[in-house]
């Protein structure tokens, strides 16, 4: 199994690395020993289905988290950030790393990665490290800045401990340890951050984790646009509520078809147990689950469980307040979206002359499902997607968790300039705050490579 590459680099050629090195030297009085980076990602299709056990189709983006690192004798992990908005932090290597999930600060994401590697490798006392972190991924934008930070920290902790782990092992460890901060993600973000390769998107499958190249059609590019509404996954219950609704739907569908729901937690598990197609699962949802929200009492009655079991076995820490659950809508989205991912890959593989239009249609259907069935959009994102479609995109959809963040649009290459201009004029320029953020909020993205260690030549 391949490990993340170690790349020799000339820092003088790279203004960003030069600045990071200078900041590091000013802070700690010596040069970094090595650098590590992990990219953000844009998910082209397959939203909110990784934690249900289904494949997704992301690509890494050029924006990343980059850290300069040295070992120190102080017995502490010292963290600083080039962004003055993010405060310094220091933690002793001799005590257990505590992560405050009620207060998701930047350094707690970093410490998730450190703690995950420490536990996996069974390191009782870590060596002291000094780090300065620099990020170019807009935060809370749905481009995975937080997971990239966890991955970068996991990779640099492995390197600082003079250990080696494969990309797949690192992705799995980092997906698991992000849960320390309370996000019940499915593993897409960490997988693409490590397994990405320049020039290709990836179909990421889970259990076992594997990545397959997906060659995107010539003649179109993907443009990312941020709606400028921030959404912090760990700070909000929205995301974990959806995870819980899918978990309950899994058990309800299993019960309706005479399966034992114990041990079934993901919608994909019901499909495999029933040996059904995704289309058959969509019909089953329509047949078995009613569109009106379910209350706790109805769910407990159907599943034959007590209210206490419901709270402890089905709800998570930040969803204990929930009283109503939209099971039909959530399950229908997941099964139909999982089918769209497979169609998207087969269209890319077919190299058909019509592929750009077909992929655009799938992206548009995905947005409608996210908006209407999964309800993970917001008015600004819907407005932005509509503007993108009007401005020449063949397909446009929210990407990432939603409730804010970014849209991704597929735009014919010959229309890119006019598309960017039209979106600028219709969405960004009319409002001062958006106009200010436009430079880092609207950009063409090419598939970038995965996480790596950089050594100065």
């Amino acid at each position: 199994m391949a490990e993340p590459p170690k790349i020799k680099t000339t820092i003088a050629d790279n203004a960003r690395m030069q600045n990071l090195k200078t900041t590091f030297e000013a802070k700690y009085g010596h040069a970094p020993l090595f650098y590590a980076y992990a990219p953000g990602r844009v998910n082209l299709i397959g939203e909110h289905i990784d934690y249900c056990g289904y494949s997704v189709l992301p690509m890494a983006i050029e924006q990343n988290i980059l850290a300069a690192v040295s070992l120190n004798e102080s017995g502490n992990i010292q963290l600083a950030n080039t962004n003055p908005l993010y405060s310094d932090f220091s933690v002793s290597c001799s005590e257990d790393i505590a992560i405050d999930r009620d207060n998701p600060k930047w350094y707690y994401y970093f410490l998730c990665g450190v703690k995950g590697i420490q536990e996996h490798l069974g390191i009782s006392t870590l060596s002291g490290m000094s780090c300065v972190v620099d990020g170019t991924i807009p935060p809370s934008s749905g481009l995975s800045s937080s997971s990239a930070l966890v991955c970068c920290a996991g990779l640099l902790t492995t390197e600082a401990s003079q250990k080696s782990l494969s990309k797949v092992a690192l992705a799995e460890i980092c997906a698991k340890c992000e849960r320390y901060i309370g996000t019940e993600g499915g593993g897409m973000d960490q997988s693409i951050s490590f397994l990405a390769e320049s020039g290709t998107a990836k179909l990421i499958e889970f259990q076992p984790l594997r990545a397959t190249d997906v060659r995107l059609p010539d003649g179109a590019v993907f443009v990312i646009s941020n709606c400028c509404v921030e959404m912090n996954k760990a700070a909000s219950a929205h995301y974990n509520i959806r995870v819980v609704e899918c978990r309950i739907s899994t058990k309800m569908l299993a019960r309706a078809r005479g399966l034992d729901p114990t041990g079934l937690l993901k919608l994909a598990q019901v499909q495999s147990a029933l040996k059904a197609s995704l289309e058959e699962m969509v019909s089953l949802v329509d047949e078995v689950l009613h569109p009106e929200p379910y209350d706790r009492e109805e769910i407990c009655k159907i599943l034959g469980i007590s209210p206490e079991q419901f709270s402890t076995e089905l709800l998570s820490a930040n969803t204990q307040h929930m009283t109503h659950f939209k099971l039909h809508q959530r399950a229908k989205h997941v099964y139909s979206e999982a089918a769209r991912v497979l169609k998207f890959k087969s269209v890319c593989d077919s190299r058909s002359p019509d592929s750009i239009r077909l992929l655009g249609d799938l992206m548009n259907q995905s947005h409608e499902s996210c908006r209407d069935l999964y309800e993970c959009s917001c008015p600004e994102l819907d407005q932005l997607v509509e503007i993108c479609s009007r401005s020449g995109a063949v397909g446009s959809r929210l990407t990432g968790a939603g409730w804010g963040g970014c849209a991704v649009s597929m735009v014919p290459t010959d229309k890119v300039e006019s598309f960017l201009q039209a979106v600028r004029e219709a969405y960004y320029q009319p409002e001062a705050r958006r106009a200010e953020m436009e430079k880092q909020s609207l950009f063409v993205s090419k598939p970038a490579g995965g996480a790596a260690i950089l050594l100065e030549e």
Side-chain angles (χ1 to χ4, degrees):
M1 293 295 252
E3 292 166 23
K6 292 184 185 181
I7 302 163
K8 291 211 161 118
T9 185
T10 312
I11 290 194
D13 302 345
N14 182 320
R16 181 181 172 207
M17 287 192 78
Q18 191 62 62
N19 288 343
L20 179 58
K21 184 181 179 182
T22 308
T23 307
F24 187 97
E25 289 170 338
K27 184 143 200 80
Y28 299 118
H30 58 265
L33 179 63
F34 67 90
Y35 301 80
Y37 72 85
R41 61 96 192 98
V42 58
N43 190 24
L44 301 179
I45 197 157
E47 224 55 77
H48 284 280
I49 63 174
D50 57 344
Y51 54 77
C52 297
Y54 284 111
S55 308
V56 290
L57 213 152
M59 67 184 195
I61 55 176
E62 287 146 344
Q63 288 83 345
N64 60 27
I65 301 282
L66 171 68
V69 190
S70 70
L71 298 177
N72 66 45
E73 300 299 320
S74 72
N76 290 321
I77 296 171
Q78 299 170 307
L79 302 177
N81 198 303
T82 53
N83 184 334
L85 294 175
Y86 297 135
S87 56
D88 293 3
F89 191 74
S90 178
V91 61
S92 164
C93 297
S94 57
E95 57 196 53
D96 218 22
I97 294 175
I99 288 157
D100 182 356
R101 56 168 57 192
D102 296 327
N103 183 19
K105 294 261 190 269
W106 79 272
Y107 44 79
Y108 287 131
Y109 287 97
F110 188 100
L111 293 172
C112 282
V114 176
K115 188 179 168 86
I117 295 297
Q118 179 181 18
E119 290 184 354
H120 180 83
L121 294 173
I123 303 167
S124 50
T125 308
L126 289 160
S127 22
M129 294 190 291
S130 304
C131 308
V132 178
V133 172
D134 179 71
T136 50
I137 310 167
S140 302
S141 63
L143 300 176
S144 242
S145 55
S146 48
S147 297
L149 182 52
V150 174
C151 291
C152 184
L155 177 58
L156 67 83
T157 305
T158 309
E159 180 67 13
S161 309
Q162 297 180 313
K163 304 283 187 198
S164 59
L165 288 165
S166 70
K167 296 176 187 181
V168 166
L170 281 160
E172 288 179 330
I173 294 161
C174 290
K176 222 185 290 159
C177 68
E178 196 167 322
R179 295 182 190 150
Y180 293 136
I181 206 146
T183 308
E184 298 196 39
M188 161 174 54
D189 304 347
Q190 300 81 2
S191 304
I192 190 67
S193 197
F194 283 109
L195 300 172
E197 287 176 78
S198 182
T200 176
K202 293 277 185 180
L203 178 77
I204 306 265
E205 299 169 85
F206 302 97
Q207 279 149 350
L209 176 60
R210 57 186 187 274
T212 312
D213 288 2
V214 177
R215 191 179 146 205
L216 299 166
D218 302 324
V221 295
F222 289 94
V223 178
I224 295 171
S225 50
N226 190 344
C227 78
C228 307
V229 173
E230 291 198 357
M231 184 272 179
N232 180 330
K233 271 201 310 217
S236 107
H238 286 309
Y239 185 89
N240 286 351
I241 287 168
R242 294 297 180 275
V243 176
V244 163
E245 287 175 317
C246 290
R247 196 179 292 157
I248 298 168
S249 303
T250 300
K251 296 197 177 287
M252 299 283 273
L253 290 168
R255 175 50 58 99
R257 278 293 171 266
L259 300 172
D260 177 5
T262 335
L264 295 180
L265 293 170
K266 296 180 176 181
L267 287 164
Q269 294 170 321
V270 186
Q271 187 198 350
S272 13
L274 293 175
K275 298 185 171 52
S277 69
L278 286 163
E279 290 67 26
E280 287 166 336
M281 292 310 294
V282 171
S283 306
L284 179 63
V285 169
D286 283 338
E287 183 193 324
V288 167
L289 298 173
H290 56 67
E292 301 74 37
Y294 286 75
D295 62 19
R296 289 181 177 216
E297 198 182 340
E298 186 179 1
I299 295 165
C300 288
K301 196 172 152 194
I302 293 171
L303 296 179
I305 57 173
S306 69
E308 294 69 40
Q309 280 174 301
F310 182 85
S311 291
T312 54
E313 292 168 23
L314 292 176
L315 298 182
S316 56
N318 66 351
T319 55
Q320 294 293 329
H321 62 288
M322 291 285 298
T323 56
H324 287 80
F325 306 85
K326 292 190 175 179
L327 306 183
H328 173 272
Q329 293 84 340
R330 309 315 183 220
K332 189 165 182 169
H333 164 76
V334 170
Y335 289 128
S336 60
E337 184 78 349
R340 280 187 285 274
V341 170
L342 301 180
K343 283 186 194 131
F344 194 100
K345 176 166 191 305
S346 74
V347 170
C348 289
D349 292 346
S350 75
R351 320 301 296 154
S352 121
D354 210 13
S355 57
I356 291 172
R357 185 186 60 79
L358 295 169
L359 296 178
D361 289 347
L362 289 167
M363 290 173 73
N364 293 332
Q365 291 162 23
S366 171
H367 184 74
E368 285 162 18
S369 183
C370 286
R371 180 190 67 206
D372 302 338
L373 294 175
Y374 222 71
E375 295 179 280
C376 60
S377 190
C378 66
E380 294 83 354
L381 259 179
D382 291 337
Q383 183 200 1
L384 178 55
V385 164
E386 194 202 328
I387 288 170
C388 290
S389 302
R390 249 198 349 249
S391 304
V394 286
S396 189
R397 57 181 293 278
L398 68 82
T399 184
W403 299 288
C406 288
V408 58
S409 302
M410 192 179 194
V411 182
T413 316
D414 57 357
K415 288 190 179 161
V416 174
E417 285 318 311
S418 62
F419 173 85
L420 293 171
Q421 193 47 41
V423 174
R424 230 174 254 136
E425 285 170 10
Y427 192 80
Y428 293 97
Q429 286 167 3
E431 200 184 284
R433 184 172 161 271
R434 289 179 193 169
E436 216 173 277
M437 292 170 72
E438 185 244 313
K439 282 276 180 287
Q440 70 272 28
S441 295
L442 180 66
F443 52 90
V444 175
S445 191
K446 297 182 184 71
I453 296 289
L454 299 175
L455 302 166
E456 185 172 5
E457 280 197 300

